């Protein structure tokens, strides 16, 4: 049975991603981004830190859950082909067409280039790799990581699917019956945070990005396990959603205290790592619990948004950077700029999606959508699976 709450969470989290990237335009320079407003703000980093702690982890968990649905209907070869088609084609298209304007405007704003865009693309756009060169996947980094995890874990997932009474699934079911035992899942995440992150900080370059790869593949695998025990997990998080919310508030408060009150050192690092994973896992459980209670129902709005979310993800940051470039040096109130960039990113993404991507059959695959663009009511469930993050 389809989990509509997962679809809603996916749509909501990617909607928040737009606000997050707009926030990167205004946050203090130590949070590096492609372009910055002429006035930046230190305090913005705290609400952004709150979002940042769980927004990517929950997407990898949801993606792992979606993989379970996908493999229930496909052979390993069918799954590998379908996932490669939906991920690799949009990634290549994005790197060739969508991302270059971001690189161009960043280097133009910093005085690193002075040519027009059509002298930059394609002649210079693919020379060398970013940041010294120009070829990059920028915000699309999530796609190659998801492709890697999906393909590498196929043998494990096939084994778990074909042997539902194996020790791993049985142990997961027992853990999911107890609200506190669900925190056992943070053990590998803590080990990665404590012992890998100091040596391999985030780069999103895939090669050598061992901390992100390790922690993210664990989250992806955990998502597959949680959905495999069916209602056992959902019953626990729904019944204990208020407790998890209190844990999340306490965890994030403690995390802020440690970050602001103590200097870097071994004690702070290992303590911060534990509180960080406890905090974001509590928020993930909170979101799953509340979504299960209030959002697990279909709607036409959800069906539309769930198909649109992948194209919006591919498009949004380029639109945000373009708007930011023309606003960055204007002597306007930052609230007006934030509003223009947020509303503008949503509106322009929607116009491009609705009147170009959604309606043009040949363009749809470049944004991860099926060729077929009009589906009868009987195929409602199939339409919801257009997203790479769904089944």
């Amino acid at each position: 049975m389809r989990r509509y709450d997962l679809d809603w969470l996916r749509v909501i989290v990617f909607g928040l991603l737009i606000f997050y990237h707009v926030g990167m335009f205004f946050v203090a320079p130590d949070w590096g981004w492609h372009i910055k407003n002429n006035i930046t703000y230190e305090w913005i980093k705290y609400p952004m830190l709150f979002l940042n702690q769980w927004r990517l982890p929950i997407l990898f968990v949801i993606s792992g859950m979606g993989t379970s649905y996908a493999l229930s209907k496909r052979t390993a070869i069918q799954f590998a082909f379908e996932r490669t088609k939906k991920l690799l084609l949009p990634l290549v298209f994005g790197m060739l067409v969508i991302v270059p304007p971001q690189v161009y405007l960043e280097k133009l704003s910093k005085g690193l280039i002075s040519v027009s865009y059509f002298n930059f693309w394609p002649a210079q756009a693919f020379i060398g790799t970013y940041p010294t060169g120009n070829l990059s996947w920028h915000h699309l980094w999530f796609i190659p990581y998801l492709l890697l995890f999906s393909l590498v874990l196929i043998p494990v997932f096939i084994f778990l699917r074909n042997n539902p009474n194996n020790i791993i699934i049985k142990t997961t079911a027992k853990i999911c019956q107890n609200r506190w035992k669900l925190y056992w899942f943070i053990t590998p995440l803590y080990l990665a945070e404590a012992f890998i992150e100091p040596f391999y900080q985030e780069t999103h370059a895939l090669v050598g990005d061992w901390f992100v790869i390790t922690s993210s593949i664990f989250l992806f695998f955990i998502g597959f396990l949680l959905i495999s025990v069916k209602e056992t997990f959902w019953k626990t998080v729904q019944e204990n959603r208020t407790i998890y919310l209190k844990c999340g508030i306490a965890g994030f408060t403690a995390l802020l205290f440690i970050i602001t009150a103590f200097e870097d050192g071994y004690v702070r690092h290992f303590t911060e790592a534990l509180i960080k994973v406890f905090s974001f896992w509590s928020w993930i459980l909170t979101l799953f619990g509340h979504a299960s209670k209030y959002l697990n129902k279909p709607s036409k709005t959800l069906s539309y948004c769930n198909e649109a979310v992948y194209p919006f993800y591919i498009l949004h940051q380029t639109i945000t950077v373009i708007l930011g470039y023309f606003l960055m040096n204007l002597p306007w109130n930052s609230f007006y700029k934030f509003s223009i960039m947020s509303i503008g990113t949503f509106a322009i993404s929607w116009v491009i999606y609705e009147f170009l991507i959604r309606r043009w059959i040949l363009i749809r695959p470049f944004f991860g959508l099926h060729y077929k663009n009009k589906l009868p009511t009987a195929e409602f469930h199939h339409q919801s699976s257009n997203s790479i993050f769904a089944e």
Side-chain angles (χ1 to χ4, degrees):
M1 184 177 69
R2 186 168 190 88
R3 299 289 315 193
Y4 297 100
D5 47 355
L6 293 181
D7 294 333
W8 274 119
L9 280 175
R10 183 186 308 112
V11 169
I12 291 168
V13 171
F14 275 102
L16 290 173
L17 180 63
I18 291 179
F19 291 111
Y20 181 85
H21 282 153
V22 173
M24 290 295 291
F25 178 71
F26 295 95
V27 74
D30 57 321
W31 283 44
W33 204 56
H34 310 295
I35 59 174
K36 289 286 184 181
N37 188 39
N38 53 3
I39 300 175
T40 57
Y41 302 90
E42 188 75 18
W43 65 267
I44 297 179
K45 66 173 60 177
Y46 297 110
M48 292 182 66
L49 181 62
F50 169 72
L51 282 179
N52 200 40
Q53 64 170 334
W54 52 261
R55 64 180 181 88
L56 285 172
I58 198 173
L59 283 177
F60 278 114
V61 174
I62 292 173
S63 298
M65 291 176 168
T67 298
S68 177
Y69 283 119
L71 273 174
S72 68
K73 303 175 180 179
R74 299 171 177 89
T75 66
I77 294 176
Q78 288 172 335
F79 173 77
F81 175 77
E82 180 268 346
R83 197 49 52 109
T84 301
K85 180 180 68 174
K86 276 194 173 183
L87 293 169
L88 191 58
L89 182 59
L91 176 63
V92 173
F93 176 77
M95 293 176 67
L96 296 179
V97 178
I98 305 298
V99 172
Q102 297 182 46
V103 178
Y104 171 76
L105 291 177
E106 176 185 355
K107 296 197 171 185
L108 185 66
S109 67
K110 295 177 179 178
L112 299 176
I113 57 175
S114 58
V115 299
S116 70
Y117 181 72
F118 291 104
N119 285 327
F120 170 80
W121 187 94
Q124 301 178 32
F126 313 118
I127 298 175
T129 55
Y130 182 88
T132 53
N134 298 323
L135 180 64
S136 175
W137 49 48
H138 269 39
H139 67 293
L140 303 180
W141 69 269
F142 186 86
I143 299 178
Y145 284 66
L146 192 57
L147 178 60
L148 173 67
F149 302 160
S150 298
L151 298 180
V152 167
L153 289 176
I154 285 178
V156 179
F157 289 160
I158 291 294
F159 171 79
L160 295 176
R161 184 195 68 179
N162 294 341
N163 299 274
N165 293 319
N166 68 79
I167 185 69
I168 298 175
I169 299 297
K170 285 184 175 181
T171 302
T172 301
K174 289 181 179 179
I175 290 174
C176 290
Q177 290 172 0
N178 184 288
R179 63 190 178 196
W180 299 118
K181 287 183 179 179
L182 274 171
Y183 282 95
W184 278 110
F185 288 114
I186 71 174
T187 303
L189 303 174
Y190 170 72
L191 294 175
E193 193 77 37
F195 297 105
I196 300 178
E197 189 273 340
F199 304 101
Y200 299 97
Q201 295 187 6
E202 292 187 36
T203 65
H204 298 161
L206 192 62
V207 177
D209 195 16
W210 292 114
F211 166 64
V212 174
I213 290 174
T214 303
S215 59
S216 300
I217 201 169
F218 274 130
L219 290 162
F220 187 76
F221 182 64
I222 289 169
F224 187 95
L225 293 180
L226 294 178
I227 206 71
S228 298
V229 300
K230 301 180 173 61
E231 291 305 311
T232 305
F233 169 71
W234 299 109
K235 182 175 182 292
T236 301
V237 292
Q238 183 171 323
E239 290 178 349
N240 297 280
R241 62 190 185 279
T242 303
I243 294 174
Y244 294 138
L245 175 60
K246 293 176 181 177
C247 289
I249 293 172
F252 185 66
T253 302
L255 183 63
L256 288 181
F257 175 74
I258 289 176
I259 290 174
T260 56
F262 295 94
E263 296 183 357
D264 286 334
Y266 289 110
V267 175
R268 169 182 157 169
H269 171 72
F270 289 111
T271 305
E272 181 184 338
L274 180 60
I275 294 176
K276 179 181 177 181
V277 295
F278 172 82
S279 177
F280 80 65
W281 187 245
S282 297
W283 285 105
I284 288 174
L285 296 179
T286 299
L287 291 168
F288 280 143
H290 282 83
S292 178
K293 175 67 175 179
Y294 300 108
L295 298 178
N296 193 20
K297 48 192 173 184
S299 74
K300 291 183 179 180
T301 300
L302 174 60
S303 180
Y304 182 90
C305 291
N306 204 37
E307 184 183 51
V309 69
Y310 196 7
F312 267 60
Y313 163 67
I314 293 171
L315 292 169
H316 82 277
Q317 185 166 289
T318 296
I319 297 169
T320 299
V321 169
I322 292 172
L323 292 173
Y325 176 78
F326 289 105
L327 293 172
M328 60 191 298
N329 292 316
L330 295 180
W332 293 3
N333 183 288
S334 293
F335 175 78
Y336 295 147
K337 291 184 180 181
F338 184 90
S339 300
I340 291 170
M341 291 177 67
S342 300
I343 295 171
T345 299
F346 276 104
I348 296 171
S349 297
W350 177 79
V351 168
I352 296 173
Y353 167 71
E354 176 62 28
F355 297 103
L356 181 62
I357 299 169
R358 183 169 179 257
R359 299 168 188 265
W360 289 33
I361 294 177
L362 294 180
I363 292 179
R364 289 171 63 88
F366 293 103
F367 290 89
L369 305 181
H370 297 305
Y371 279 109
K372 198 172 185 179
N373 65 341
K374 289 186 178 180
L375 300 173
T377 304
E379 294 182 302
F380 178 84
H381 290 273
H382 186 64
Q383 183 179 358
S384 294
S385 71
N386 275 329
S387 171
I388 57 165
F389 316 106
E391 56 180 283

